[in-house]
Amino acid sequence: MRGRRVHLATADASARACPACGVFASRVKGWAATRPRDLPYGEGGLEFVWHKRR
């Protein structure tokens, strides 16, 4: 049995703000995909691909 792949994207508009100063980004600087590996799920495994804006 193959594992499952789940694609996630952040939809919360407040995620655009700098965590240090709170200023919102004026444009998208690029995209990054991260793959958290500490999320076990069943025997077949589960791969998360989180698409985030920079």
Side-chain angles (χ1 to χ4, degrees):
M1 183 171 123
R2 290 182 65 181
R4 296 180 183 189
R5 178 178 297 159
V6 177
H7 291 266
L8 305 165
T10 302
D12 185 2
S14 67
R16 296 183 315 148
C18 171
C21 67
V23 174
F24 282 88
S26 60
R27 63 184 175 91
V28 176
K29 297 172 181 74
W31 291 90
T34 62
R35 291 175 171 80
R37 300 198 186 272
D38 60 346
L39 301 167
Y41 179 80
E43 293 178 16
L46 186 64
E47 178 186 3
F48 284 100
V49 181
W50 182 13
H51 301 276
K52 301 189 291 185
R53 290 201 283 187
R54 294 185 195 198

